[in-house]
Structure formats: structure tokens, C-alpha cells
Amino acid sequence: MLHETVRRVGFRQVEVRGNQMYINNMPVKLRGVCRHEVMPLRGRSVNDGMWRKDVELFRRGNVNYIRTSHYPPDEALLEACDELGMLVEVEAPFCWAHNTNVPEEMHDAVLVNQHVEMVNLNRSHPSVIMWSLGNESLKYAEYFKKAGEVVKQMDPTRPRIFSQWGPDADNGELEVTNHHYPGPTGPNKYRNSKRPVTFDEFCHLNAYNRLELAADPGLRSMWGPLLDQMWNDMYHSQGVLGGAIWAGIDDTFFLPGEKAVGYGTWGPIDGWRREKPEYWGMKKAFSPVKIVQKGNMSADGIVRFHVENRHNFSDLSECTIVWKAGGKSGRVTTDMAPRSEGEFEIQLPESLRNAEKLELTVTGVRGFVIDEYSFRILPEQIKPQGQGQSGQLSCQEKADVIEIQSVGGVFTVDKRNGLLSAGQGGNAVLLQSPALMVLPLNGDGEGVQMVGKDQKFKPYNPVCENWLAQSVTCLPGDELISKKVKGIYKEAEGIFEYRFHKNGEVTFVYDFTMLQDISPRQTGLVFTLPSSFTHLDWKRKGYWSVYPEDHIGALTGQAEAFDASLPVSGLAGPSKQPVKSWSYDQTAAGSNMFRSTKENIYSARLKDGSGQSVTVKSDGTQYVRAWIEGDAIRLLVADYNNPGKENFLIPHAEKGYKPLRKGDKVQGKVTVSFHP
């Protein structure tokens, strides 16, 4: 015997009926990612069993479908997909093929034979459910029609697709069609499509707006809700078979000299296979078990839930659902067919009738945690705090400043520019603040390719320019002292008002009128603190009820501005194997955890090593972002925020845009507490 090949095989039936795909007689939805072969130090050469690791990572992220963009994969990937139940669209090695002139006498050798080889090599893998003839190429009739016919002849058991910008590139000939980046209107547009439609590139991650990303990694957490809204619409649109996020893994490589190349940071996981903020957003959005609380706990301890089972094949009884409350736990078992919904209830024992929260963890048949939830089952008991008007207020006018003293410290309004500084025990805690920020949207990133530069992009954080204070009005009082500063920037004119309270709080009110048109990403006030205020902690309201502890969007968390023991990297991330999670990567502006926007805050505090602190208090409607800038710490408190201007993501993000025109108002109120 000269050679022996051993492989496992599986059996399943794939059919297209109308505008749906059936696998083993069950209609399916595809929750997918596109995947390139990627390793940071090896380029497109993968080793160390990374194929299986990738499949496991995506499976844990609730992905059930991989598109092998834009070439057939290593068989090790398909073997892992076979074993772990991952569905695969195998794509032929053609991308933008119309840019190459292939002589007609070479069509069979170049255009047809590679499809033949793809099918011959991979057709025994049951995980393969579709053959893609190529990516984003014109000339279907000239270059791909014959190949499609040959593929159909070789394997009539699987549908074919031509992965394109729109649904008509194949002249309506193939079993499945698609649309790249259809935007939020796509699900409704294709609800009654004659063929199943996949969006096999959709919800592009923030990647090419590198100046925005250099300022705010929080854009990555903001992507999750956009995907969730899009996927919900896709799931409930019959004609939409599913989609593949662009893309699965960061496309970043490091050449000698640590020069970063590639397309960029467009994956829910980075090249080192660390989970990025988008991974949690993908996992939550793609969760096949959706649980919604139906009300508070009843007097007899019953909590009711509505549940949607979005599994293609698994009954909900095959999942393990564990509840935890008050230090105790139990299991829930409920029958619910795949692609159906219903209700279940949990009755807590009498000893837990005063528990305020109930946590649920859902584990799937393969042992991966599908989803986690935290529900408030009794209302939070909030004691009224009032203003707590204790302490003394005094105001003294000096030659250059107006000085206000309270339990929060000594505050000085500079008569030359109307800006406020603060000190505690002789130490500065606030420097010449605030500044109005009307941060323009900025999609710039110096192109789609990371080439030609060191990729250390300067954070895009401009505040309004050319501040000119015009008047300072003093409104003294026993319970409240107010200073109103009228002035003008290049971009807007209006007033700052500083309201000093006896308890040490200062309320900053701003009311400006735009002098020019700006479509902003964030608007609010920027405060400047000494460089020693490097510790940030926060409490906020989240889009999801549960986040990992080291997620930049954690509901409660803390972060240090900088860790001298860790390397400084550009947007492509560390050029050597990292030792900590993605949230601790850092640029000169600080760590990802520190400088990312915290949305919907209740409180956010910056503190120095001596315990002095500056705390922003809010009601869950404001946003904060801190960063290192020169020899200072900057803190933005924003009343408006959106997910940025990544070109491919704009159709989703722009739903939250609020362009400002000349004459429009920019207003808000920020409450800050100062503690020695």
C-alpha cells in the first residue's frame, strides 16, 4: 500500500425551498462571521492548531456559520467545524477578478479548475453547506457561469452562491443570493425574496476611522447594539437566510521593526485570539436563547419570563439553565421547540423572597455558555439624599480671580478668561476648565491599508477653539453662589454657569448657539486635571444586563490610566504575544479600559494616589471619557454620543446622528463633586 487516507464523514440534507434553506428538514438561520487566515507574526500562515481554536472561539461567541473569505480553508478548519457543528460557506479563491484579464483559452485552467479542486477536496465534509463561486467580482457570465454549472454537476446536493455587492450579479441563476452591506433596510427589503438571501458581509466593525478609534476604543462597545438591532430584524425576516459579520479576526501583521501592515482591526477577536469588546456584543446579539423578565417577583416568590428559542435544531430542554439568587442556586427545565417562543417561571424558596436580583446562565449542548442575564426582581430601594447642604460657602474677589470656598475646596474663577480652577489642601485638582467640545465625526484613517507609516495615530480630540470670555457675572447667595461667564468660540457662542453648593458640589451649566454647521460624534464639557489623577472608576447602566469584568463597558469597573510594565502600542495592538486581555492594551493616551467612553453613567470618579477625587454624578443619561494629554488628564462629560463614522458602518450608526446647524443650541448640565 502506497498511501492511506482516513477521514470521518457525516450525512445531512441541504435543500432550498422558496426563500428558505432547510438542513435535515429544519429551516435554518445563519449567525456568521467571515474568516481570513491570520497570525500577527506569520501573515496568512496559521499553525499550532489555530483552526480548531478559532472554531471554538466563534462557537463560544454563538456563531454557527463561517464564510471562508476569500479562498478555501485548510482541512483542519473543516474537520473542527464537522465536529463542533459549525456550518460553512466555502469560497473559491477569486476576489475582484474583473480587474484581471484572463484570456479565453485559459478560462478552464484558471477559472473552472480551481472550483473543481475546491469541490473535490472538501465535499465530504458535512459542515460545508454552500459553495461560493467568488467574492465581489463582475463578469459573471464570462468568468463564473461555466464554473457554476460544473460545480452543480459535481455536487447537486449543495446550493451555490456568488458573493457580491447586490443580488443580481449571478443573473438570478444560483440557488442562494446575497447582498453585501445592505444596511438596516435590508431585512425588510428581502422579507419576500424569491430566493434565500445572505448578507455574507454585514455590520462591518469600526476599523478605517482610525483617528476616532485612537481617541475612543469605546466605539467598539457601541457596535454591539447596532449588530443586535440588525440581527433581530434579520432573524424575523423570512427571506434573509442570515449573514456573516465583516470580519472575524483582526487583519493586522507585524513586519521586522514592528511595522504594522494589513487592513486593520476589524474583528471581534484580535490576531492573538483575544476577545475584544465586540466579541461580547456578537455573543449577546447572536444568542439563540433570548430571555425577557415579565414582572417583579410575586408575593409567593414566582418570577415569570418570556423566552425565545432561536436554535435551529435544539429543543430548549437540551440546554442547562441555572439560576442564582441570595447565594443559592437551582435549575430550570423547560420544553420549547427550536425557532419557537413561550414562557417559564421560577419559584424561589421563602428564604429568598427578599432577594433583589436573579441571575440566569444558559449553557448549550456542547458545554459552551450561551448567555448570561441579571434581572432585578424587586425594585431598588433608593433613599432620598437631597442636596445635603452642609458646610460653609464664601466668596472673595481678588485682583485677578474670584475665590469661592466650600467643603469641596478652594475654587478660583480667572478674571482674564472666566475659566475655573480648584484646589484641595494646597494641591490642584482642576485646571482652567471647562472647555466646550463639539467633536466632529471623522472617518479618516489614511486609507483601508495600514501601510507607509508607524500606525501610531494621534487621537482625534479637538475642543472648540479661540475661547474669548466677554463678561463674568457674580450672583452671590447663602445657599448657592453662581458665576455666569459669557463668551465665544470659533464654533459657538454662549454661557458657562458655575453653581457652587455648600456640600462641595459644583454644577456646570452650558448653553451655546452654534456659529457653524457640525455633525458631531460627542458634545459636552472637557475638564483638565493634573496628571496624577490616573485612577478611574464608574457605575453605569448597560445595554446588556451582564458584561465581563474586564470589558471596557462593564457596568461597574475601574481602570488605571497607564501601566509602566506593559508595552505601548498603536491601533494594531501589541507586536508581541500579550500577557493581559485586550482592555489593558495602551497607547500614549492611556489604556483601552481607561480612555474608552463609559455610556449612561450614574457616577464616574477620577482619583489620585493621595485619595483626592473628582466625581461626576449623573442619572444614567450622560457619557464620560478620560485620556492622557501631555502632562494632564482630560475628562469629557458628554450629553450626546454616537458610534462614529466608519464608512461601511454609517448606515447603522447614522440612525443616532444629530447634525448641528448654525443657530442650533448645544446645552447641558454637569454635576461634579470634589473630595479631599
Side-chain angles (χ1 to χ4, degrees):
M1 181 177 67
L2 297 177
H3 179 74
E4 181 181 34
T5 297
V6 178
R7 67 168 46 168
R8 292 174 295 177
V9 297
F11 298 90
R12 82 285 170 275
Q13 184 179 38
V14 182
E15 301 172 278
V16 171
R17 305 179 197 166
N19 62 8
Q20 293 185 281
M21 177 184 285
Y22 287 74
I23 298 179
N24 295 341
N25 207 36
M26 299 290 284
V28 298
K29 288 285 187 179
L30 305 180
R31 314 180 300 268
V33 296
C34 297
R35 181 186 177 276
H36 269 305
E37 299 273 282
V38 175
M39 292 288 281
L41 302 181
R42 295 174 60 93
R44 301 225 181 275
S45 170
V46 177
N47 65 352
D48 288 340
M50 194 57 70
W51 302 277
R52 183 181 178 89
K53 294 176 184 176
D54 284 352
V55 177
E56 290 178 346
L57 260 173
F58 289 130
R59 249 323 191 179
R60 284 202 297 273
N62 288 324
V63 170
N64 70 354
Y65 151 64
I66 290 175
R67 172 184 173 229
T68 69
S69 49
H70 303 298
Y71 35 81
D74 191 290
E75 279 200 274
L77 183 85
L78 295 182
E79 289 166 1
C81 290
D82 291 343
E83 187 173 328
L84 294 170
M86 183 74 79
L87 307 175
V88 185
E89 172 188 336
V90 173
E91 189 155 88
F94 297 95
C95 180
W96 309 325
H98 54 273
N99 291 324
T100 300
N101 181 35
V102 182
E104 189 169 352
E105 64 271 16
M106 296 182 65
H107 279 197
D108 282 358
V110 174
L111 300 169
V112 177
N113 283 357
Q114 293 192 72
H115 288 88
V116 171
E117 292 171 0
M118 173 183 73
V119 175
N120 271 335
L121 178 64
N122 300 306
R123 61 182 169 184
S124 64
H125 289 282
S127 57
V128 178
I129 60 167
M130 277 190 289
W131 302 115
S132 170
L133 304 184
N135 175 69
E136 293 182 352
S137 300
L138 306 178
K139 296 188 175 182
Y140 171 79
E142 301 95 317
Y143 281 8
F144 296 97
K145 180 178 175 67
K146 183 177 180 181
E149 293 170 349
V150 171
V151 168
K152 182 68 172 178
Q153 186 177 14
M154 294 177 66
D155 181 12
T157 70
R158 292 180 175 93
R160 302 158 299 162
I161 187 172
F162 192 41
S163 186
Q164 300 301 313
W165 299 287
D168 301 320
D170 64 352
N171 297 328
E173 296 178 5
L174 306 180
E175 292 80 15
V176 178
T177 188
N178 73 93
H179 187 160
H180 286 189
Y181 310 109
T185 61
N188 191 55
K189 178 179 179 179
Y190 294 107
R191 187 174 308 279
N192 300 310
S193 172
K194 293 181 180 179
R195 296 183 284 173
V197 178
T198 61
F199 304 154
D200 54 5
E201 289 184 24
F202 84 108
C203 267
H204 198 293
L205 274 69
N206 276 294
Y208 301 139
N209 51 335
R210 297 188 180 99
L211 297 185
E212 289 185 339
L213 288 167
D216 187 6
L219 291 168
R220 301 198 172 281
S221 190
M222 297 171 205
W223 174 86
L226 300 180
L227 173 66
D228 184 50
Q229 294 154 26
M230 180 66 173
W231 174 248
N232 275 326
D233 290 343
M234 292 166 63
Y235 178 82
H236 290 109
S237 174
Q238 178 171 302
V240 178
L241 173 57
I245 296 165
W246 190 269
I249 308 169
D250 280 357
D251 204 66
T252 52
F253 316 102
F254 295 95
L255 303 180
E258 300 190 350
K259 178 182 177 182
V261 296
Y263 281 94
T265 53
W266 59 20
I269 58 177
D270 73 358
W272 303 104
R273 276 32 176 203
R274 295 178 302 170
E275 297 174 10
K276 292 167 55 189
E278 296 95 333
Y279 183 88
W280 187 252
M282 177 183 73
K283 181 180 178 73
K284 292 291 290 185
F286 279 174
S287 169
V289 180
K290 301 290 187 182
I291 300 176
V292 178
Q293 185 179 352
K294 293 195 67 178
N296 298 114
M297 178 170 53
S298 66
D300 54 355
I302 294 177
V303 188
R304 293 180 173 85
F305 300 92
H306 179 271
V307 61
E308 189 176 10
N309 180 11
R310 294 186 177 182
H311 280 102
N312 288 321
F313 306 107
S314 297
D315 190 284
L316 196 58
S317 62
E318 299 176 59
C319 296
T320 301
I321 303 176
V322 174
W323 63 261
K324 292 182 180 179
K328 297 184 179 181
S329 63
R331 291 183 62 169
V332 179
T333 301
T334 180
D335 293 322
M336 194 167 300
R339 305 288 299 279
S340 69
E341 53 189 290
E343 298 177 3
F344 71 91
E345 63 182 38
I346 297 172
Q347 181 158 24
L348 297 177
E350 189 170 353
S351 61
L352 297 178
R353 301 285 164 84
N354 292 321
E356 293 186 352
K357 290 187 177 181
L358 176 72
E359 298 175 354
L360 292 179
T361 301
V362 184
T363 303
V365 294
R366 293 177 179 82
F368 300 138
V369 172
I370 289 174
D371 213 341
E372 299 173 69
Y373 295 91
S374 178
F375 298 105
R376 177 165 286 281
I377 54 178
L378 291 178
E380 184 179 7
Q381 303 300 311
I382 300 176
K383 298 178 180 179
Q385 296 181 351
Q387 286 281 32
Q389 296 290 346
S390 60
Q392 299 294 319
L393 270 177
S394 66
C395 180
Q396 183 179 5
E397 186 166 346
K398 298 185 177 181
D400 297 325
V401 300
I402 302 167
E403 185 177 278
I404 300 95
Q405 292 195 28
S406 76
V407 295
V410 179
F411 302 91
T412 57
V413 179
D414 193 326
K415 287 184 175 181
R416 295 166 299 179
N417 56 26
L419 298 180
L420 181 69
S421 298
Q424 296 171 347
N427 298 316
V429 297
L430 191 67
L431 308 171
Q432 293 283 292
S433 296
L436 181 68
M437 175 177 271
V438 183
L439 181 66
L441 286 161
N442 189 337
D444 190 18
E446 299 181 10
V448 296
Q449 289 275 1
M450 296 190 301
V451 294
K453 295 196 174 184
D454 63 4
Q455 298 306 303
K456 289 183 170 58
F457 292 92
K458 184 178 180 180
Y460 185 67
N461 282 317
V463 296
C464 291
E465 297 180 338
N466 304 336
W467 167 247
L468 177 65
Q470 297 168 320
S471 66
V472 179
T473 304
C474 300
L475 302 172
D478 295 330
E479 300 297 321
L480 180 73
I481 294 176
S482 177
K483 305 297 178 185
K484 186 174 292 187
V485 182
K486 182 180 179 182
I488 187 169
Y489 290 100
K490 183 177 75 173
E491 298 86 352
E493 63 180 350
I495 63 104
F496 293 121
E497 183 181 356
Y498 317 136
R499 298 173 182 171
F500 301 92
H501 303 278
K502 294 175 71 173
N503 64 351
E505 291 182 357
V506 181
T507 302
F508 296 83
V509 178
Y510 61 99
D511 186 343
F512 281 80
T513 301
M514 294 299 299
L515 298 176
Q516 56 185 246
D517 296 349
I518 295 177
S519 185
R521 194 182 82 73
Q522 294 177 315
T523 62
L525 299 184
V526 174
F527 299 89
T528 303
L529 285 73
S531 60
S532 58
F533 282 75
T534 57
H535 178 87
L536 173 70
D537 56 60
W538 67 89
K539 180 180 180 181
R540 74 179 198 91
K541 176 175 63 178
Y543 184 83
W544 319 109
S545 63
V546 175
Y547 289 78
E549 286 186 6
D550 63 350
H551 196 283
I552 61 173
L555 301 181
T556 60
Q558 54 186 327
E560 296 297 329
F562 197 82
D563 185 340
S565 69
L566 296 177
V568 176
S569 58
L571 288 187
S575 59
K576 296 180 175 61
Q577 181 70 51
V579 297
K580 299 191 79 170
S581 67
W582 182 92
S583 293
Y584 296 95
D585 289 356
Q586 58 191 12
T587 69
S591 68
N592 290 338
M593 184 78 88
F594 181 81
R595 60 195 178 91
S596 54
T597 292
K598 312 306 176 191
E599 299 181 274
N600 303 110
I601 63 152
Y602 297 116
S603 65
R605 179 176 61 172
L606 279 169
K607 188 169 64 172
D608 69 5
S610 69
Q612 294 183 118
S613 65
V614 176
T615 303
V616 179
K617 298 181 177 180
S618 191
D619 59 358
T621 62
Q622 291 179 304
Y623 318 86
V624 299
R625 177 163 64 89
W627 66 94
I628 302 169
E629 187 174 298
D631 58 356
I633 298 293
R634 303 276 261 176
L635 176 67
L636 165 67
V637 184
D639 285 288
Y640 169 70
N641 177 67
N642 70 48
K645 194 182 179 182
E646 210 288 338
N647 184 54
F648 287 91
L649 193 60
I650 285 174
H652 301 276
E654 67 183 356
K655 292 184 291 183
Y657 289 177
K658 294 181 179 179
L660 293 169
R661 306 301 180 197
K662 183 178 179 180
D664 287 348
K665 288 282 192 178
V666 178
Q667 300 169 308
K669 182 171 68 174
V670 177
T671 299
V672 182
S673 177
F674 297 84
H675 293 289

